[in-house]
Amino acid sequence: MQVQRLGWQALPDGSRAIFLLDLGSGSDWQQALAQLRRRNPASQLIALGLDSEFALMRDALRHGCDHCFPRQMSHPAIVAHILELQDSQQEDAYRVLIVDDSVTAHALIRRALAEQGVETRALTDPAQVLDALRDFQPDLLLLDMYMPGCNGVEVARIIRQHPEYLSTPIVYLSGETDLALQVEALRLGGDHFLTKPFNPVFLNAIVKSKIERYRALRRSMLHDSLTGLLNHTSSKSQLDMALEQCRQQQKPLCVAMLDIDHFKQVNDRYGHPVGDQIIRSLAWLLKKRVRHSDILGRYGGEEFLLALPGASLSQGFAVLELLRQDFAAIHHPYGDGYFQLSFSCGMAAFPAISSREDLIQAADDALYRAKRGGRNRVECA
Amino acid sequence: MQVQRLGWQALPDGSRAIFLLDLGSGSDWQQALAQLRRRNPASQLIALGLDSEFALMRDALRHGCDHCFPRQMSHPAIVAHILELQDSQQEDAYRVLIVDDSVTAHALIRRALAEQGVETRALTDPAQVLDALRDFQPDLLLLDMYMPGCNGVEVARIIRQHPEYLSTPIVYLSGETDLALQVEALRLGGDHFLTKPFNPVFLNAIVKSKIERYRALRRSMLHDSLTGLLNHTSSKSQLDMALEQCRQQQKPLCVAMLDIDHFKQVNDRYGHPVGDQIIRSLAWLLKKRVRHSDILGRYGGEEFLLALPGASLSQGFAVLELLRQDFAAIHHPYGDGYFQLSFSCGMAAFPAISSREDLIQAADDALYRAKRGGRNRVECA
């Protein structure tokens, strides 16, 4: 991510960027904003420093802003939001599972969704739906209402017996226009009801809006608001899943617990906003360095969990040693000068240690030894 | 909660209960189940011990089961689910905020929703929507599409700028049947589109199904799966909110951190399933005793957080002392005998300590002193 500071006149056109706009400064920002919007259709325009006042936000959105961040929003929260926006631009393709006994319907639906880059898988036999949910991990289910052996509502109810698919929206596609049936279908676990023959534009709009909504919801509930990393609870559940996978594939997995050294002194000496900034800068460093498949969470106040599936203890140690050196080299600005910090780290690995609880405990014990041994070091269990 | 063990023949009628049914045992359970369903329309019927096989689950649901728990589901997970079901039966009334410039529309909608026990508040001026969201905390928003000054989509976009309302579903009510507008409306933060004049039954079905879906989703993401209590992350965010409220109302707030004594020995000696059972039994004891407004979370493995808004340190101490004695008196069965356990507890209170971090830290320090002082005791900061 490159950051540039520009005046309104010097804003470039045509590139895909995130624009942070200070709308408080100019008088006729509405016109300037509308022009910027026209020239940069693929960019994200964010208004900063607005009072959270209805009319002002309405005007900013009306003239082309994608997001408004109110004046009282803290800088770390703003950065966390921007990181989230960037993440969501790099997201995986949307995946839709189609359950319909007609292969003609499959072809029509798949063609319509493929035009918007949505990945699809189609089933004719509803009895295979649980296996397909597990293997394909779809973002959304399109369910035909009438199939031999069972109807769509029954399929939806069976899926809703499984808590792990609670956040997978279900959209019915049916020739049925009976209102009572639609009511019953929505009551029993469905999210939307579309009638056949479907309009491809409308189908795509429903599918995309539902998926975006549920992905955003999951993001906000599973991530820490200060850093955008996984929160404590979702760090643990993601580690459970990765561990299960490594067990099946007979691969190692390496867990690191990191803790910023003398962090309390940072808060006491420079104040909490600077402390938050430090946490964010370490989060940012870690995020830039880990792979898509790694698990990175804020485990506590100044404590982070990093899990590297496929990495042995010695491979993990090499990664963390480098991160430790790089973090210790950062100059954190304060007033006219700067200060430097370090973190301590404890590591443990599967399969030498087999359960999630024991891995975290062993890494925590090693972290304690790193602290006692003088800090700014990585220790292995 | 009373628990009774009965044969299929002896099942009572007419009372509102949760039935746990072992469907593996009989041959013609379909008929027996259908009969039980007819006689107990207000009860919850749960099938246990089903193989997670599609046809079997379909038949169980078709003949009247509300839920199926697969054979491989652990006992603690089953109990956690039952606790959640019980909670959801005792839930607050659904709250709907109506934004429509027509007071005639208000009256029609409010009457329709009141028939189903839904609480409503209505606004004619969309500019007040943010205040109303904060004060009324609705489960769902019903938005008129055309109002003076701005349209429904603009209102929805403004609301979606605020992450705290991301899980509040928005349903449009409009005379508009233009498809392109509906697509745009759903794309920009809406969840459903209903056309006026509305059918009262359909309106209620949409409102209820959306609210149930989002409440279930929040529950699953914010709660610990073993105990049904708040998880680590949501314990902290709920404490933040309670603290803010106590600050405004100038009330005290008391925080307790509890940790089961010698828990590692329980796992080592009796096995993890027994350990889980112990955690669950303490969770259950705490849950029965705290008020609706208290915050109760599983903070870590065998560690719990309990916050009592409105209680001073001495009032909180009295509550926790009683809980400590009662937990220590429980006989936990194992084999032919039983064993007893205790917990240690550390407490701290607002306003003597003012931030959430410091409260938890102070309670944790006091917990450490309780452990060092011999365990099975409550210490105050």
Side-chain angles (χ1 to χ4, degrees), chain A residues 9-140:
Chain A
Q9 280 69 30
L11 290 172
D13 287 347
S15 60
R16 184 172 169 155
I18 295 176
F19 289 93
L20 296 177
L21 308 169
D22 181 2
L23 296 189
S25 60
S27 57
D28 58 343
W29 53 265
Q30 283 90 340
Q31 275 58 44
L33 178 58
Q35 197 176 40
L36 186 67
R37 173 80 284 171
R38 275 194 305 278
R39 292 184 179 168
N40 296 276
S43 291
Q44 300 258 5
L45 308 190
I46 300 173
L48 290 180
L50 283 187
D51 288 314
S52 185
E53 204 240 304
F54 190 88
L56 219 58
M57 291 181 75
R58 181 198 61 198
D59 285 347
L61 293 168
R62 200 178 264 181
H63 289 88
C65 274
D66 295 295
H67 308 276
C68 295
F69 294 167
R71 189 183 298 281
Q72 64 271 31
M73 192 184 267
S74 69
H75 285 179
I78 291 174
V79 175
H81 270 79
I82 294 171
L83 284 173
E84 265 179 42
L85 283 177
Q86 223 198 1
D87 279 358
S88 64
Q89 289 181 354
Q90 297 163 348
E91 264 185 0
D92 298 335
Y94 295 166
R95 286 185 303 279
V96 170
L97 178 65
I98 302 157
V99 184
D100 195 313
D101 60 321
S102 147
V103 288
T104 319
H106 288 188
L108 284 171
I109 298 169
R110 298 183 83 159
R111 196 183 317 141
L113 294 178
E115 274 173 25
Q116 296 287 320
V118 177
E119 287 178 20
T120 50
R121 186 176 291 186
L123 293 179
T124 46
D125 178 7
Q128 294 171 2
V129 73
L130 294 173
D131 293 333
L133 280 168
R134 199 184 44 236
D135 299 340
F136 185 51
Q137 296 277 335
D139 290 290
L140 182 141

Side-chain angles (χ1 to χ4, degrees), chain A residues 221-292:
Chain A
M221 290 190 184
L222 302 182
H223 290 75
D224 167 55
S225 60
L226 179 65
T227 60
L229 305 186
L230 294 172
N231 63 31
H232 177 95
T233 305
S234 49
S235 303
K236 288 202 291 190
S237 55
Q238 296 265 321
L239 179 53
D240 277 336
M241 280 189 279
L243 203 53
E244 193 45 44
Q245 221 165 30
C246 287
R247 207 184 300 278
Q248 279 169 15
Q249 301 172 352
Q250 302 196 305
K251 282 186 191 167
L253 180 147
C254 182
V255 173
M257 299 292 292
L258 289 75
D259 191 275
I260 301 175
D261 296 325
H262 299 299
F263 185 73
K264 200 181 165 331
Q265 289 177 20
V266 176
N267 275 335
D268 291 348
R269 197 175 297 166
Y270 307 108
H272 275 280
V274 174
D276 284 352
Q277 169 73 19
I278 298 299
I279 288 171
R280 206 195 56 174
S281 70
L282 177 53
W284 222 346
L285 174 68
L286 294 171
K287 197 162 184 153
K288 254 194 332 208
R289 294 295 196 74
V290 302
R291 300 162 301 173
H292 196 61

Side-chain angles (χ1 to χ4, degrees), chain B residues 86-289:
Chain B
Q86 224 198 359
D87 279 358
S88 64
Q89 290 181 353
Q90 298 162 346
E91 264 183 1
D92 298 335
Y94 295 167
R95 286 185 303 277
V96 170
L97 179 65
I98 302 157
V99 184
D100 196 313
D101 60 321
S102 148
V103 287
T104 319
H106 288 187
L108 283 172
I109 297 169
R110 297 183 85 160
R111 196 183 318 141
L113 293 178
E115 274 173 26
Q116 295 286 322
V118 177
E119 287 178 19
T120 51
R121 186 176 293 187
L123 294 179
T124 45
D125 178 7
Q128 294 170 2
V129 73
L130 293 174
D131 293 333
L133 280 169
R134 200 184 44 239
D135 300 341
F136 185 53
Q137 296 277 334
D139 290 291
L140 182 140
L141 221 86
L142 273 176
L143 255 184
D144 187 22
M145 190 50 83
Y146 294 108
M147 292 169 287
C150 70
N151 66 36
V153 178
E154 290 182 313
V155 179
R157 288 192 71 196
I158 290 173
I159 292 167
R160 291 284 176 255
Q161 302 305 308
H162 300 75
E164 63 269 38
Y165 306 123
L166 195 61
S167 64
T168 307
I170 295 177
V171 175
Y172 296 106
L173 257 180
S174 165
E176 186 63 64
T177 53
D178 175 26
L179 207 62
L181 183 104
Q182 292 195 20
V183 167
E184 190 66 2
L186 293 177
R187 202 178 65 75
L188 295 170
D191 289 88
H192 219 97
F193 203 103
L194 286 177
T195 45
K196 290 184 193 171
F198 63 86
N199 172 319
V201 175
F202 200 55
L203 174 71
N204 266 304
I206 295 287
V207 164
K208 287 188 79 168
S209 69
K210 294 277 169 228
I211 293 179
E212 276 168 21
R213 191 96 176 75
Y214 277 88
R215 281 196 179 183
L217 208 60
R218 269 200 300 264
R219 238 191 335 262
S220 83
M221 289 187 183
L222 303 182
H223 289 75
D224 168 54
S225 59
L226 180 66
T227 60
L229 305 185
L230 295 172
N231 63 33
H232 178 95
T233 305
S234 49
S235 303
K236 288 202 292 191
S237 56
Q238 295 266 321
L239 179 52
D240 278 335
M241 280 189 279
L243 203 53
E244 194 43 47
Q245 220 165 32
C246 286
R247 206 184 303 278
Q248 280 171 14
Q249 301 173 354
Q250 302 197 303
K251 281 185 191 171
L253 178 147
C254 182
V255 173
M257 298 293 290
L258 289 75
D259 192 275
I260 301 175
D261 295 325
H262 298 300
F263 185 73
K264 202 179 164 332
Q265 289 178 19
V266 175
N267 275 334
D268 291 348
R269 198 175 295 168
Y270 307 109
H272 275 281
V274 175
D276 284 352
Q277 168 72 20
I278 297 300
I279 287 171
R280 205 195 57 176
S281 71
L282 177 52
W284 222 345
L285 174 69
L286 294 171
K287 197 162 187 156
K288 255 194 331 207
R289 292 294 197 75

Side-chain angles (χ1 to χ4, degrees), chain A residues 322-342:
Chain A
L322 211 57
L323 281 166
R324 182 191 62 74
Q325 290 166 22
D326 291 346
F327 182 67
I330 295 176
H331 289 198
H332 304 281
Y334 183 76
D336 293 336
Y338 67 88
F339 60 95
Q340 287 177 279
L341 287 171
S342 59

